[in-house]
Amino acid sequence: MILEALLLTTLLLLLGSASYTDCRVSHIWNRHLGYAAVPIFLLDFAYYSPLVGDGLAYWQPFLLNSVCLALTGLLLYALHIWAAGDTKLLLLVALAIPGRLYGGHLPYVGSGILIVAFAFLAAFAYVVLCGLGQRWRASRRLQGPQGENIRTVVKKLDWPRIAASYLLMVTLVQLIMAIGHVLLPTAAAKSPLIDAAASCALILAILSLRSRMTTKQMAGGAVLSSTGLLLGSATQMLSISYAMSAAILLWTAVLMCLRMLVQDYNYRTIPTEEVREGQILAAGTVCRFARSRVRNLPTGMTEDLSSRLTAEEAASVRHWQHSRYGEDTVVIVRKIPFAIFIAVGTIAFLIFEVVGL
């Protein structure tokens, strides 16, 4: 128990430090991760050692969940959904959780994925609340004819793209969940919470990726996903309950509506002279660089982490301000400090496993 207490204390200190630096300077310092990694490795060695600790019986859930979270973190990094620091932080979180807590009130296989699911849900709630707050403040500044009514907004929507996006998400999420039920039948049978949280996290992840896909690509992905799901069901290799399918259909519609409601408020206008390395420019801002002869201006318009500005590109943007086509302001994408949401997800997971809420 002493070793578990030391591991959890180190974990809380790590989460606090990473959340603070990510919120203040938008960065998780490697040296801070290193300071936490050393005691975590030493405590793990003692905890799972047959000579010192009493955690040897829990090495299997510890190993399985650590690998699961490591692969999840690498996948999210490869998809440019979050940064390398978030992946390293998630790995250390997995290593710092005592193996006994991976099977408190959930099947130990795959229970750690709830950390990522809770983190995504917390991040999405943060974005929605901030977006609604900004929309409310903006609506108070608008007077009568300056605002757009609902009919005008609806007419502007790209309905074919919305339909293709919805079909892609509902079919792909169902296919992934059905495959997960085959690979982890025990977890699926014993914990509907893992199903619900994992499906919501998948929907949110695909929402983040769809901006890089054309309407035809999304429609093609939906056809392939539905074909795979139908073939799997016909051969009885894959199955998913009607209740889960209905839940995915409903959650996808709700999350898409919330996302569309606040998507215009995920940007911030700043003076061009304040552009710095690591920021992400909005696609509309990058388009304005096309006529400029200033060298080394950014070209990435995906609005994800792959489009982060280098120091050279940031300097070029500041120089662009004083060129012929330059402007005094640019629009950047608001950065989500994922470290604090990983902390929220971890604490929620630990509370659920210990208290069993």
Side-chain angles (χ1 to χ4, degrees):
M1 295 298 291
I2 295 178
L3 291 175
E4 289 184 356
L6 291 174
L7 278 169
L8 293 176
T9 301
T10 305
L11 173 61
L12 293 177
L13 292 174
L14 168 64
L15 292 173
S17 172
S19 299
Y20 177 78
T21 59
D22 201 19
C23 291
R24 288 295 300 271
V25 298
S26 299
H27 193 75
I28 301 176
W29 299 109
N30 283 330
R31 64 175 180 272
H32 291 177
L33 297 176
Y35 295 154
V38 173
I40 288 174
F41 289 153
L42 293 176
L43 289 170
D44 275 343
F45 178 78
Y47 182 68
Y48 297 104
S49 170
L51 300 178
V52 180
D54 55 355
L56 184 61
Y58 307 108
W59 70 268
Q60 189 174 10
F62 166 77
L63 182 61
L64 289 173
N65 283 281
S66 296
V67 171
C68 180
L69 288 175
L71 293 176
T72 302
L74 288 173
L75 178 62
L76 293 174
Y77 172 67
L79 295 175
H80 307 297
I81 293 177
W82 67 20
D86 300 311
T87 299
K88 299 171 189 175
L89 175 62
L90 183 64
L91 175 59
L92 288 179
V93 166
L95 296 176
I97 295 177
R100 184 174 65 87
L101 298 184
Y102 280 119
H105 289 82
L106 291 171
Y108 67 76
V109 179
S111 61
I113 200 66
L114 282 179
I115 296 173
V116 179
F118 288 147
F120 265 86
L121 292 173
F124 187 74
Y126 165 80
V127 170
V128 169
L129 291 175
C130 288
L132 291 176
Q134 292 180 39
R135 177 178 282 273
W136 179 74
R137 289 192 294 269
S139 65
R140 294 190 65 184
R141 292 194 295 267
L142 294 176
Q143 296 179 355
Q146 291 178 320
E148 291 184 316
N149 57 36
I150 295 177
R151 183 177 298 179
T152 304
V153 173
V154 169
K155 286 182 179 180
K156 288 184 176 181
L157 293 177
D158 187 351
W159 288 106
R161 181 173 178 83
I162 292 173
S165 176
Y166 180 78
L167 291 174
L168 172 65
M169 283 190 286
V170 296
T171 55
L172 184 57
V173 170
Q174 289 186 80
L175 178 61
I176 295 174
M177 294 300 297
I179 294 174
H181 288 179
V182 174
L183 298 178
L184 302 171
T186 304
K190 291 186 178 180
S191 181
L193 177 63
I194 293 181
D195 267 356
S199 60
C200 286
L202 284 171
I203 293 169
L204 295 176
I206 299 172
L207 276 172
S208 301
L209 294 174
R210 61 178 183 161
S211 60
R212 284 177 269 167
M213 302 176 66
T214 65
T215 302
K216 290 183 179 180
Q217 288 174 335
M218 287 191 290
V223 171
L224 292 176
S225 300
S226 58
T227 301
L229 193 60
L230 290 173
L231 290 176
S233 301
T235 57
Q236 297 184 347
M237 295 178 61
L238 300 176
S239 65
I240 188 167
S241 67
Y242 291 115
M244 178 56 62
S245 295
I248 291 173
L249 291 170
L250 176 62
W251 274 110
T252 302
V254 170
L255 295 178
M256 280 187 68
C257 289
L258 290 173
R259 178 63 176 159
M260 287 189 292
L261 183 65
V262 302
Q263 64 183 356
D264 293 336
Y265 296 88
N266 292 332
Y267 302 92
R268 183 160 61 98
T269 301
I270 64 171
T272 306
E273 60 188 14
E274 294 183 5
V275 172
R276 295 292 183 267
E277 177 186 3
Q279 292 176 336
I280 302 173
L281 295 179
T285 295
V286 177
C287 288
R288 297 205 295 267
F289 298 152
R291 296 185 297 172
S292 178
R293 294 185 179 181
V294 177
R295 295 184 177 181
N296 299 318
L297 286 171
T299 58
M301 295 192 296
T302 57
E303 296 188 355
D304 58 19
L305 292 177
S306 64
S307 297
R308 285 183 297 182
L309 295 178
T310 64
E312 188 178 35
E313 289 174 337
S316 296
V317 173
R318 294 193 296 270
H319 178 62
W320 168 81
Q321 177 185 6
H322 307 288
S323 66
R324 178 181 178 183
Y325 300 106
E327 299 180 16
D328 293 331
T329 60
V330 294
V331 179
I332 64 171
V333 179
R334 294 180 182 272
K335 183 185 182 299
I336 298 178
F338 252 109
I340 193 169
F341 299 117
I342 293 176
V344 171
T346 302
I347 293 172
F349 169 78
L350 292 175
I351 291 175
F352 185 87
E353 285 285 36
V354 174
V355 181
L357 296 177

